[in-house]
Amino acid sequence: MDALDIMANLQHVFPYYQAIFSADEHCVVGYEVLGRYQSGEEIVSLGPFFQDETIPEEFRLEVDEVVTTKAFEHFLSIDDDTALIFINRDANLLMLDRAESFLQMLLQYQAKGLSLERIVLEINEHHFKGDFNQLSHLLTYIRTYGIKIAVDNIGEYSSNLERIGLLAPDILKIDLRELRKTSINYAYQDVLYSISLLARKIGATLLYEDIEASFQLQYAWRNGGRYYQGYYLAEPSPYLLERDVLKDRLRQECHHFIQQEKKKLQTLYNISEQFQQRVAALLAKYKKAANFNELLSCLADELSDVCFRIYICDEDGFQQSANIFKRNNTWEVQPQYYMKNWSWRPYFLENIIRMRSRKRGILSDLYADIETGETIRTYSYPIDKHHYLFIDLSYSYLFEQDAHY
């Protein structure tokens, strides 16, 4: 696709629209505007054109403006005046005139009746080469017009969470294509989890894009996604969709997700209840143990079918016992762990307070064990007012119990 051919045939440049769906109403909430070019009988994406830095900046800016103005005219011609309009812009080009030409175009269409509160400016922080502080200031200024900011393609590259936090976008678009590569599935999910935590901290909405299969939609639903986009839902099209086009289908899928999640949570609740009763009985059985290490040795023999590590900490996280660790089906004592402090671990002190208040044990989320690398859960139990038992459950046991996901 030759850049000069495109510039000489701007009448063949036009927008396509890819629908974005909401989790709360299961309807179309907006559209991303995408550039297309009629090349003979073929319609081709202008994505490579916009991303090619060898093409003069003024060419890319002009084609961008043609696509955007045609899209705005189309949105003004229909009755729906609520759908969000996602407009992609290269942040490097935006900074050339401090977004003046972009804002002037928007103000012209505002005068025609287009609400700027419908506009979502979508940028890619990974490709920006300038001063991030200046970009942050510019985006803050753009927001004064009611325009929302979205950061695109998060997860596709090694996204810099600090830079994203500095930009403080309204919407984070998380790319789910990598989720289809099972070889990096767990590591990638950890990255996405970190991004979801950042979104919560800065008050950003999560939009999961590139959803191409049901399991990706389920992942997005389970991990705080309010908006969804991808070929599994709707392909880019020259036409806008009916607002409720997928409402019944999405409600059915969501109902299926809910049933699966409730089943999973019930399984975890049952496991926690079983351990509550089992551990309470064992502690009563071995209440005359001379010390914590002797107690753990007795518990290890009783719990050998479910765990690989047991230890005891006080309420401040200082370990009050050795580790009892199973290696090659043999339990061994690791005295070097005595008085190590674990209060720095996420949720450690929070869980101590929960156990102390409720006088009940807690089953943790899935996480990767630092030493073994194995995916595990930990069951914690209050021995008394000041000491807490920690039982690391093996992946094989979790798999058997269908509690490994």
Side-chain angles (χ1 to χ4, degrees):
M1 187 166 54
D2 186 84
L4 292 177
D5 287 342
I6 293 173
M7 298 307 298
N9 296 279
L10 290 178
Q11 70 275 17
H12 295 314
V13 169
F14 53 91
Y16 259 37
Y17 311 94
Q18 187 169 24
I20 296 166
F21 296 83
S22 73
D24 43 11
E25 296 184 74
H26 304 125
C27 63
V28 176
V29 73
Y31 295 89
E32 180 178 0
V33 176
L34 304 168
R36 293 294 186 266
Y37 178 72
Q38 183 82 45
S39 178
E41 297 298 317
E42 186 181 7
I43 296 176
V44 296
S45 169
L46 285 171
F49 173 86
F50 291 128
Q51 295 164 11
D52 188 348
E53 295 182 0
T54 65
I55 296 175
E57 296 164 347
E58 58 270 23
F59 286 9
R60 287 181 282 155
L61 286 169
E62 185 173 355
V63 173
D64 238 342
E65 186 172 344
V66 170
V67 172
T68 305
T69 54
K70 288 184 177 181
F72 285 166
E73 293 291 344
H74 186 50
F75 279 109
L76 285 173
S77 69
I78 61 175
D79 292 335
D80 185 1
D81 61 355
T82 61
L84 297 174
I85 305 170
F86 286 69
I87 303 296
N88 288 282
R89 280 294 182 272
D90 185 325
N92 297 292
L93 300 183
L94 205 63
M95 287 294 292
L96 291 177
D97 66 349
R98 305 285 296 177
E100 183 177 343
S101 57
F102 176 69
L103 289 172
Q104 286 302 315
M105 177 178 59
L106 290 179
L107 291 173
Q108 289 175 12
Y109 278 93
Q110 183 185 43
K112 295 181 179 182
L114 184 69
S115 170
L116 297 191
E117 292 184 355
R118 296 175 61 189
I119 305 299
V120 181
L121 171 61
E122 192 172 317
I123 65 169
N124 189 322
E125 61 83 24
H126 182 78
H127 293 151
F128 183 65
K129 300 176 181 177
D131 186 325
F132 253 80
N133 285 306
Q134 290 188 23
L135 178 61
S136 177
H137 293 323
L138 177 60
L139 296 182
T140 299
Y141 173 66
I142 290 173
R143 279 196 191 90
T144 63
Y145 289 89
I147 300 165
K148 299 175 182 63
I149 305 297
V151 175
D152 188 19
N153 293 116
I154 295 177
E156 183 179 6
Y157 308 97
S158 281
S159 299
N160 187 317
L161 299 188
E162 183 179 355
R163 298 202 309 188
I164 295 171
L166 179 65
L167 298 180
D170 303 284
I171 298 172
L172 295 181
K173 293 192 71 175
I174 298 181
D175 173 27
L176 287 184
R177 275 179 291 185
E178 292 294 319
L179 203 61
R180 295 175 67 88
K181 301 177 182 178
T182 55
S183 61
I184 61 169
N185 203 343
Y186 285 114
Y188 186 69
Q189 288 186 46
D190 289 341
V191 171
L192 297 189
Y193 178 69
S194 298
I195 294 170
S196 69
L197 291 180
L198 172 65
R200 184 178 179 185
K201 292 290 185 183
I202 65 176
T205 295
L206 291 179
L207 189 165
Y208 286 90
E209 60 181 336
D210 296 306
I211 295 174
E212 299 177 358
S214 178
F215 82 93
Q216 291 174 307
L217 179 62
Q218 183 172 13
Y219 179 90
W221 171 84
R222 188 191 297 129
N223 289 275
R226 184 181 182 186
Y227 300 143
Y228 312 130
Q229 181 183 21
Y231 277 48
Y232 180 71
L233 301 170
E235 296 185 12
S237 164
Y239 310 106
L240 303 183
L241 304 177
E242 291 292 330
R243 191 170 185 270
D244 294 334
V245 64
L246 292 186
K247 193 160 194 170
D248 291 340
R249 175 185 148 191
L250 286 176
R251 282 190 171 178
Q252 290 175 5
E253 294 211 44
C254 185
H255 177 72
H256 178 63
F257 298 158
I258 291 170
Q259 294 304 109
Q260 285 190 313
E261 193 70 11
K262 287 167 68 175
K263 180 181 177 181
K264 169 190 167 184
L265 293 173
Q266 185 64 53
T267 297
L268 297 178
Y269 175 80
N270 292 341
I271 292 173
S272 185
E273 285 297 298
Q274 291 167 13
F275 271 99
Q276 177 75 24
Q277 298 172 18
R278 186 173 179 180
V279 172
L282 289 174
L283 290 176
K285 180 178 179 179
Y286 297 111
K287 64 182 178 180
K288 294 183 180 180
N291 54 53
F292 284 148
N293 286 344
E294 182 180 323
L295 171 63
L296 292 182
S297 180
C298 296
L299 294 178
D301 291 335
E302 298 274 7
L303 298 171
S304 188
D305 59 319
V306 299
C307 68
F308 67 94
R309 184 194 291 119
I310 312 176
Y311 56 99
I312 293 171
C313 290
D314 66 17
E315 60 188 344
D316 292 330
F318 287 97
Q319 191 159 326
Q320 300 298 300
S321 70
N323 272 1
I324 306 295
F325 185 83
K326 185 164 65 174
R327 195 190 310 274
N328 299 323
N329 291 321
T330 301
W331 288 102
E332 63 182 51
V333 178
Q334 298 175 319
Q336 66 270 26
Y337 286 89
Y338 177 68
M339 288 304 293
K340 281 184 178 282
N341 185 269
W342 306 113
S343 61
W344 53 270
R345 285 179 168 172
Y347 309 114
F348 185 93
L349 294 177
E350 178 182 342
N351 286 339
I352 292 291
I353 298 301
R354 287 173 61 194
M355 286 188 286
R356 189 170 70 188
S357 300
R358 300 176 184 178
K359 297 180 175 59
R360 295 184 62 83
I362 292 174
L363 185 66
S364 77
D365 293 336
L366 281 176
Y367 66 97
D369 184 64
I370 294 175
E371 295 184 10
T372 67
E374 189 174 352
T375 301
I376 70 170
R377 294 182 189 270
T378 296
Y379 182 75
S380 314
Y381 186 88
I383 297 176
D384 55 38
K385 291 183 178 180
H386 306 291
H387 298 96
Y388 299 84
L389 175 67
F390 294 87
I391 303 171
D392 289 340
L393 308 180
S394 63
Y395 183 80
S396 58
Y397 168 75
L398 296 174
F399 187 84
E400 291 172 2
Q401 300 296 316
D402 202 22
H404 61 291
Y405 63 95

